[in-house]
Structures are given as C-alpha cells and as structure tokens.
Amino acid sequence: MKMWSGRFRQPLDADFERWQRSFDFDRRLLREELAASRAHASALKNAGVLSSTELIAIRQGLTQIGEKAASPAFLDDNDAEDVHHFVEKQLVALIGDTGYKLHSGRSRNEQIATDLRLYVRASIDQVRADLGNWLSISIDRAEQAGSAAMPAYTHLQRAEPVLVAHWLLAYVEMFLRDAERLADCRKRLNLSPLGSGAVAGATLPLDRRAMADDLGFDAPTANSIDATSDRDFVLEFVGALSLLAVHLSRWAEEMILFSSQEFGFIRLPEAYSTGSSAMPQKMNPDLLELTRGKAARIIGDATALLVTVKGLALAYNKDLQETQQPLFDATGTVLSLLPLASGWMKAVEFNHERMQQAAESGFMNAWAGATYLVRRGVPFRLAHEIVGKAVQTCIERNCELADLPLEELRQLNPAFDQDFYSSLTLQAVLNIHDVPGGTAPARVRQAIADARRKVESMREDVHAHA
Ligand code: ARG
C-alpha cells in the first residue's frame, strides 16, 4: 500500500512512478531509519498512542527488518518508494496492521532529515578514524626521515633547504585541520529533527528530548520549518570533504612530480603503481593520479549540493531528495581513498641521497649568507644586494657561494670574514631557521611530538563517539 494514495483518482504514470523513487539509493539509510523509528515508537507509547504490546511488536519487527537486511536480496523491492515506505511495508508484512500505527504523528520530511544527520554523523566518525591512521603514518615517515634534508620550493624554484620531516609535517597540519573541520561540523549537526513533523511540528505530544537522547543527539532542533528543510550539515560535510580532497590532490600532485625522473626524490611503491601496455619500461603513479582526479568528483558533489539548495523556498521540497546521491558519492569516494593513500604513504621510499644533493646546491644558502652580513651590522637591503652580486659571479663561474675566495667577498663588503663559510653549510642554514614552526632540527623534533599529541587526542575523541 502506498503512503498517500487516498486522494488520487488515477494511478501514477508508470515511468514517472519509477523515476521519482529514491529506494535505489536511500536504502543505505536503512540502519538510520530503523533507529529513528525505534525512538519514535517509544515516544508514541509515552504519548499513549501505542500500547506496551504494540510497542514491543513494533520494536521486534524493526529489529527483524534490520536482521533480514543482512541478505541483499531482501532489499530488492521494486515497489518501495523510499526507505521510509520500505520499512512500513516490511513492518506490516511482519506484524500486521499495527505496523501502520508507527507513522502516527510523524512525516517523512523529519525522518529523512533525521536519517541524514545520523548518516553524516557516522560518516564523520569514520572519515576521522581513517584520517587518524593517515596522520599517524605520515608522522612515522617524518620521524623516520630523521635529519635528511631536501629543497623547499617557492614558485616551484628551489628556495631554501628544509628537513624532509618538516615538509611531511606540512601535510600533517593540513589534514589535522580537515579533521577539526569535520569535528566542528559534527557538533553543529548533532541535533534531532524528530518531532518536527511535516513542517509545523508533530501533531501528537511527543517527547522530543527523549527521542533526541535515544539517538545520541545533544538536543532537539529549535524550529520545525528549518529542521525539515535544512541540509546545511550535508553541504558543510561535503564542503569539508572537498577541502580534504583538495589537500589530497595537492599531496598527490607533489608526489607525482617528485617521483618523476627529473626530480627523482621518490621511488614509487610497485604495489600501488601500474605499467604501460605499450612501453615496457614504464611504472606509473596511478594511485596518486586517481587521487588527484577524484578531487574533481568530490568538488562536483559539493557544487551539486549547493546549487540544489540555493533556490528552495521553505520548507521541504522534493528537490532535497537530490542531495542524497552527491552525499553518498563524496562519502564513499573519500572512504575508499584514505586507506589506500595511507598504504601508499607507508610503502613509498624516499631517495634521501638525491634530496640531500638537491638541498646542497642552487644557492639555497643565499638568504642565510645575507643574514650573516645582517648580524654584522649590514642593513638587510644592502646585504641582499651584495649576496645577489656574489651569486651572479658564481653563476658565471659555475660554482657555489662557498667557492668564492674571501678576498673577493671582502671587495664586495669588508664585513665578510672566515666564519662566513661555516654559515653557508646545509646544517648551518637549517639551524638558523630556529623559530617555532621553522625547520631547525630541534624545532622539527618538537613539531613531531606536538603533531603526535594532536593526533592522539583526535583518536581519543573519535573513540569516545564509537
Ligand atoms: N524520499 C524523500 C526524500 O529523500 C523522503 C521525503 C519525502 N517527503 C515528501 N513529502 N514526499 O526527500
């Protein structure tokens, strides 16, 4: 039986009927739908609409539906309009007409809003758990890199040497922010729409606080019109996922670049690469390329969601059904990707020798050289000019700054002395970046410890929600 056929004189056009259904995709909300229905049933009992026996029958029926759903064939239902209709049908099939009592005083508009909040909440916990693994592995790699150095780039030109660990920790910070954004979204969404009815509130005196408690929500939502039409939390979540995907994409792009023969900083893990059907010598960074590519898809999902909601008058409109697939797609894409990216990160080999060589050439000690003069009282702008001239000489002679004789340097400025040379070594250059957040080795050791603590407290937080 349909949920709404009474006022209709004609059957629906068959193609339209099939086309407007959502069960094909909203079946994945079954667990959430059953949980929300259980909370509603208890509220109906307390409002005097269900007897104890009816409540027990409904609860048992809902449990059974959950159990049956373990076999996929159970969900092959060509007649169910959506997950809400499906549960009602199955419940009636199991316990008889008492099953129809479950829909007393509620609307699918509040149900879908509730199911989606529960789904996004669980998805956030899952993504944060996966991010925790990814972060731990990245920090391990930073720790393993020890004192190894590499060039840092600005404008993709060699700029200054940094520790490999410092470079990896840059990504750690980005993903920590992503995890935090998700936690923030979780806080805001954790309110219960149950009892909001179709738009104006439930038509029965339901205890909204009790329903919220049953489902682990912090409180009931404040306004029934908003609660039934709000999808901010979906937009926020997929927005956070698209930023996460952009971070993953930047990471992937840099790893692709560094794995090219031109850089040679990275040896691709074979387990996550593929070959060419034509060129026998090839090994391609497919995991990274697909990671970069999938960011486009997630951004597309976020865009689709924003555009779907942007012109909607309050409150529920069927357009909102269109928010489900982008949500599921973005969630599934990120959840399938993160463990693979973690596996890649664990398996990749860094060519420290090559990185170190690159870190020691290309005048990346020029700023440190100018800083040497600054410490001897030379105004920085002049020091910059002087070292710039020295670099120019080196370019002409194809040598490094440390190869210039002291007399020649003194002609540029008398402040140069013998200890200038020791200020140019890789170690000295790393060491002078001795500020919090800088690449001096002691600072990086501290940063590794700080990052570990942040990941640990995030893991504890995720654990507390599990
Ligand atoms: N399948 C619908 C959706 O996802 C459920 C809500 C239907 N409400 C309605 N008034 N037709 O949006």
Side-chain angles (χ1 to χ4, degrees):
M1 183 171 175
K2 288 211 175 309
M3 297 181 95
W4 43 260
S5 50
R7 66 97 66 215
F8 282 74
R9 287 168 307 180
Q10 288 174 11
L12 293 190
D13 173 87
D15 289 336
F16 166 65
E17 204 280 329
R18 255 194 310 281
W19 178 78
Q20 55 89 46
R21 284 184 209 158
S22 54
F23 189 57
D24 256 358
F25 47 88
D26 70 12
R27 64 181 63 184
R28 78 185 62 197
L29 297 172
L30 183 66
R31 199 169 38 143
E32 288 78 7
E33 175 71 8
L34 293 173
S37 292
R38 214 167 273 128
H40 179 71
S42 301
L44 284 178
K45 155 78 177 50
N46 293 335
V49 178
L50 294 180
S51 70
S52 302
T53 345
E54 286 169 331
L55 175 64
I56 290 167
I58 287 178
R59 286 182 150 264
Q60 283 172 346
L62 293 173
T63 304
Q64 253 179 294
I65 294 171
E67 287 163 1
K68 286 181 166 211
S71 83
F74 177 64
L75 295 168
D76 280 340
D77 185 331
N78 292 326
D79 182 49
E81 184 175 322
D82 54 25
V83 67
H84 323 292
H85 184 212
F86 176 78
V87 169
E88 182 173 277
K89 275 181 54 188
Q90 295 300 336
L91 191 60
V92 170
L94 285 166
I95 68 168
D97 279 1
T98 304
Y100 286 129
K101 289 198 169 187
L102 178 60
H103 207 59
S104 313
R106 76 171 179 178
S107 156
R108 285 182 293 166
N109 299 353
E110 66 181 294
Q111 284 171 260
I112 187 62
T114 306
D115 294 355
L116 287 175
R117 280 181 193 248
L118 291 171
Y119 175 87
V120 172
R121 191 176 72 183
S123 303
I124 287 176
D125 294 344
Q126 187 58 51
V127 174
R128 290 185 83 223
D130 287 0
L131 268 177
N133 290 335
W134 157 262
L135 285 162
S136 294
I137 290 168
S138 300
I139 298 172
D140 290 346
R141 298 311 312 255
E143 197 152 45
Q144 289 155 15
S147 58
M150 66 184 289
Y153 298 82
T154 65
H155 312 264
L156 204 51
Q157 308 286 329
R158 282 186 195 172
E160 291 191 277
V162 291
L163 289 188
V164 173
H166 194 56
W167 166 62
L168 291 173
L169 287 181
Y171 285 107
V172 168
E173 285 303 312
M174 289 150 76
F175 291 105
L176 275 170
R177 282 198 298 278
D178 290 322
E180 229 175 84
R181 246 184 297 278
L182 290 168
D184 188 49
C185 172
R186 190 189 199 283
K187 260 182 239 149
R188 224 182 332 278
L189 74 74
N190 203 28
L191 300 173
S192 170
L194 284 194
S196 297
V199 60
T203 52
L204 293 167
L206 302 177
D207 184 344
R208 295 197 62 207
R209 176 81 245 181
M211 290 192 284
D213 286 347
D214 277 359
L215 294 170
F217 286 120
D218 295 331
T221 50
N223 180 292
S224 60
I225 305 173
D226 175 50
T228 48
S229 64
D230 168 34
R231 295 293 182 273
D232 288 8
F233 58 97
V234 177
L235 272 56
E236 235 185 299
F237 173 55
V238 179
L241 291 187
S242 50
L243 198 36
L244 165 60
V246 165
H247 287 158
L248 281 166
S249 182
R250 290 185 79 173
W251 167 81
E253 168 60 14
E254 194 159 60
M255 297 296 164
I256 290 169
L257 214 53
F258 286 177
S259 72
S260 70
Q261 280 83 347
E262 282 64 24
F263 276 88
F265 290 174
I266 278 174
R267 291 191 200 92
L268 291 174
E270 290 191 15
Y272 297 96
S273 307
T274 66
S276 153
S277 63
M279 298 166 281
Q281 85 284 10
K282 291 275 279 175
M283 179 149 80
N284 298 326
D286 290 40
L287 179 136
L288 301 168
E289 292 170 301
L290 283 174
T291 298
R292 193 175 53 188
K294 284 185 192 293
R297 209 171 136 154
I298 297 166
I299 293 165
D301 290 329
T303 309
L305 287 167
L306 287 162
V307 179
T308 302
V309 176
K310 86 174 245 304
L312 292 186
L314 298 178
Y316 179 83
N317 296 270
K318 189 95 171 209
D319 314 42
L320 290 175
Q321 186 167 287
E322 289 294 312
T323 60
Q324 294 187 31
Q325 282 160 304
L327 166 65
F328 299 148
D329 183 68
T331 309
T333 304
V334 168
L335 286 177
S336 71
L337 207 163
L338 277 175
L340 292 171
S342 298
W344 188 97
M345 197 58 177
K346 210 171 184 164
V348 67
E349 282 176 48
F350 297 111
N351 185 344
H352 288 315
E353 208 176 303
R354 183 87 187 214
M355 289 169 135
Q356 187 89 9
Q357 267 167 16
E360 274 169 342
S361 52
F363 310 110
M364 287 195 295
N365 48 10
W367 191 11
T371 305
Y372 168 88
L373 291 177
V374 166
R375 291 189 157 255
R376 304 189 139 228
V378 180
F380 178 72
R381 189 52 55 223
L382 299 182
H384 185 288
E385 202 61 20
I386 293 160
V387 176
K389 285 211 167 67
V391 167
Q392 188 51 52
T393 309
C394 291
I395 292 171
E396 282 158 20
R397 287 188 209 163
N398 193 21
C399 67
E400 291 286 328
L401 281 174
D403 298 326
L404 295 180
L406 187 55
E407 304 78 71
E408 218 173 308
L409 290 167
R410 281 223 169 104
Q411 274 161 24
L412 287 171
N413 191 287
F416 280 112
D417 217 330
Q418 192 58 44
D419 57 352
F420 175 63
Y421 297 99
S422 53
S423 78
L424 295 179
T425 63
L426 176 60
Q427 213 44 56
V429 177
L430 290 170
N431 283 339
I432 60 162
H433 294 84
D434 187 17
V435 289
T439 200
R443 299 292 185 173
V444 174
R445 270 194 299 281
Q446 183 61 47
I448 289 175
D450 292 347
R452 276 220 195 281
R453 252 194 311 280
K454 286 184 211 165
V455 173
E456 221 26 71
S457 90
M458 167 187 141
R459 278 177 181 280
E460 277 163 23
D461 190 48
V462 173
H463 219 73
H465 289 137

